[in-house]
């Protein structure tokens, strides 16, 4: 007996429509495609997070003004681009290495427990390959497109941060951020050497500004996350010392920072405009550190205000380096 094929019968007793099935299948494909795109975006975002973009921004803020000062005007545009791109790659490499090495303690700290290596978004192996690739590209970039001195200085910056700070100092000494902070000073040397092919005493003064700025910048943040560092066994100074000692040391480093900024006024030489800005910014930031010490000595004077000092430190460094860049173009 011959039978003809029929469309499936739905719950109403009527033939169901293939078009409806096709529509559902199409929607499923769209949903799957959308999910795939979202997954790719999430993975890219996780890799970017490993590079710590906000830290890189601050490093680049110091590089361009340094190049302008070294040139005595605005350097070749493409040299600036090549230097900033290379610096971004190098800093990203160092930061990813840091996340890879510190993934065990990042898991113990509320501030870092959502980093991609802790959550499993990125595997340790993938992060290590990513960090290495960024570092190699950065070094080749400087060597081939900028100059050899800047390439060697870039290598030193990555090595100091990854080996000196992350692997040796961070878990062993309360002065970890002081000496490990040298890596954060290197962009001024790299920027200066990119323009001139060498270094100078003016570059050293800028280097010292950032070197002495680093402790009063980072220790207030360490105070806020003191429990995190203590739980992870990281001996940041605020973990092993009381707030009064931390504030006193911050004041000492701040005075040295101001002295370095004024040394640049004489070494460069800079105009009186830079001098006024350097003195004004230095006095303002020093006053905040002194206020923090007073509150540490006498809690009845109010909250310690550590994060206020932290944010002020970023403002100080940004405005000082803006003054360095602007001063070059002043007609007097």
């Amino acid at each position: 007996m011959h039978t003809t094929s029929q469309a499936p019968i739905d719950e109403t007793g009527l033939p169901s429509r293939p078009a409806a099935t096709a529509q559902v299948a199409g929607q499923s494909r769209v949903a799957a495609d959308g999910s795939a795109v979202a997954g790719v975006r999430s993975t890219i975002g996780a890799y970017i997070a490993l590079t710590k973009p906000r830290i890189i921004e601050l490093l680049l803020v110091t590089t361009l003004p340094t190049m302008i000062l070294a040139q005595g005007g605005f350097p070749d545009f493409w040299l600036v681009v090549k230097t900033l791109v290379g610096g971004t790659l190098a800093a990203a490499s160092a930061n990813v290495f840091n996340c890879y090495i510190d993934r065990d303690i990042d898991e113990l700290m509320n501030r870092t427990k959502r980093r991609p290596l802790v959550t499993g978004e990125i595997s340790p192996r993938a992060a290590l390959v990513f960090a290495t690739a960024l570092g190699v590209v950065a070094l080749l970039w400087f060597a081939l497109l900028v100059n050899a001195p800047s390439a060697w200085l870039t290598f030193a910056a990555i090595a100091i941060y990854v080996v000196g700070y992350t692997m040796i100092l961070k878990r062993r000494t309360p002065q970890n951020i002081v000496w490990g902070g040298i890596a954060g000073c290197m962009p001024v040397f790299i920027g200066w050497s990119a323009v001139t092919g060498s270094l100078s005493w003016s570059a050293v003064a800028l280097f010292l500004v950032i070197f002495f700025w680093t402790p009063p910048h980072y220790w207030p943040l360490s105070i806020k996350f003191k429990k995190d560092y203590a739980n992870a066994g990281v001996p940041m100074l605020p973990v092993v010392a009381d707030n009064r000692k931390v504030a006193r040391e911050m004041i000492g480093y701040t005075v040295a920072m101001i002295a370095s900024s004024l040394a640049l006024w004489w070494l460069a030489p800079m105009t009186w405009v830079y001098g006024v800005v350097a003195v004004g910014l230095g006095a303002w930031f020093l006053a905040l550190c002194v206020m923090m010490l007073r509150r540490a000595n006498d809690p009845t004077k109010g909250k310690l205000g550590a994060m206020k000092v932290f944010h002020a430190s970023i403002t100080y460094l940004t405005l000082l380096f803006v003054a360095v860049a602007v001063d070059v173009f002043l007609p007097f």
Side-chain angles (χ1 to χ4, degrees):
M1 180 177 178
H2 178 73
T3 59
T4 58
S5 60
Q6 297 182 5
I9 304 300
D10 64 16
E11 66 273 12
T12 65
L14 298 175
S16 62
R17 292 174 296 177
T21 302
Q23 183 179 11
V24 171
Q27 290 173 346
S28 298
R29 285 195 297 271
V30 170
D33 291 344
S35 178
V37 170
V40 170
R41 289 178 177 173
S42 176
T43 300
I44 293 174
Y47 275 104
I48 292 175
L50 286 177
T51 68
K52 304 180 184 179
R54 296 183 68 180
I55 295 178
I56 295 176
E57 289 174 9
L58 193 58
L59 295 176
L60 297 183
V61 162
T62 64
T63 304
L64 180 57
T66 299
M67 296 180 72
I68 292 173
L69 181 61
Q71 182 67 44
F74 201 87
D76 175 76
F77 174 77
W78 289 113
L79 177 62
V80 171
V81 171
K82 288 183 285 189
T83 303
L84 295 183
V85 170
T88 298
L89 292 171
S93 171
N95 288 334
V96 178
F97 273 121
N98 173 266
C99 288
Y100 171 79
I101 296 166
D102 280 350
R103 64 190 186 278
D104 59 329
I105 60 176
D106 283 348
E107 188 176 4
L108 303 175
M109 300 172 62
N110 289 325
R111 184 171 68 92
T112 56
K113 67 183 181 182
R114 287 179 293 277
R115 286 180 175 171
L117 279 170
V118 178
T119 62
E121 293 175 84
I122 305 294
S123 71
R125 179 183 176 83
L128 184 59
V129 171
F130 183 46
T132 303
L134 286 170
V136 170
V137 171
L139 294 176
L140 290 175
W141 181 278
F142 273 109
L144 298 175
L145 300 180
V146 184
N147 57 36
S150 61
W152 282 111
L153 288 166
T154 299
F155 175 78
I158 295 174
I160 291 169
Y161 188 70
V162 175
V163 180
Y165 172 65
T166 306
M167 297 180 68
I168 298 176
L169 296 170
K170 184 172 183 177
R171 308 189 192 204
R172 289 178 171 84
T173 172
Q175 296 298 311
N176 48 21
I177 198 64
V178 177
W179 301 108
I182 290 174
C185 308
M186 295 301 286
V188 299
F189 277 178
I190 295 168
W192 195 281
S193 68
V195 173
T196 67
S198 62
L199 297 176
S200 73
W201 286 111
S202 294
V204 172
L206 287 169
F207 179 98
L208 291 175
V209 168
I210 303 175
F211 177 79
F212 292 122
W213 166 86
T214 302
H217 161 69
Y218 200 83
W219 281 336
L221 186 67
S222 301
I223 289 175
K224 179 177 176 61
F225 296 104
K226 181 189 299 188
K227 290 182 179 179
D228 268 0
Y229 285 114
N231 289 338
V234 179
M236 302 300 294
L237 184 64
V239 173
V240 301
D242 61 30
N243 290 337
R244 290 172 296 179
K245 178 176 175 56
V246 175
R248 284 195 298 268
E249 292 208 20
M250 285 172 56
I251 290 172
Y253 281 109
T254 298
V255 170
M257 176 190 75
I258 295 170
S260 299
S261 71
L262 296 180
L264 179 66
W265 188 11
W266 174 70
L267 289 168
M270 312 290 284
T271 73
W272 62 268
V273 175
Y274 168 80
V276 170
V277 172
V279 170
L281 286 173
W284 167 67
F285 188 69
L286 179 61
L288 290 177
C289 292
V290 171
M291 184 180 298
M292 182 174 157
L293 175 60
R294 289 177 176 172
R295 290 175 175 175
N297 287 328
D298 184 1
T300 63
K301 293 183 180 294
K303 293 183 179 180
L304 191 63
M307 289 306 293
K308 182 178 181 180
V309 178
F310 169 76
H311 292 299
S313 69
I314 297 174
T315 301
Y316 168 87
L317 194 71
T318 301
L319 293 181
L320 185 75
F321 274 80
V322 167
V324 168
V326 170
D327 192 85
V328 172
F329 298 101
L330 296 179
F332 46 81

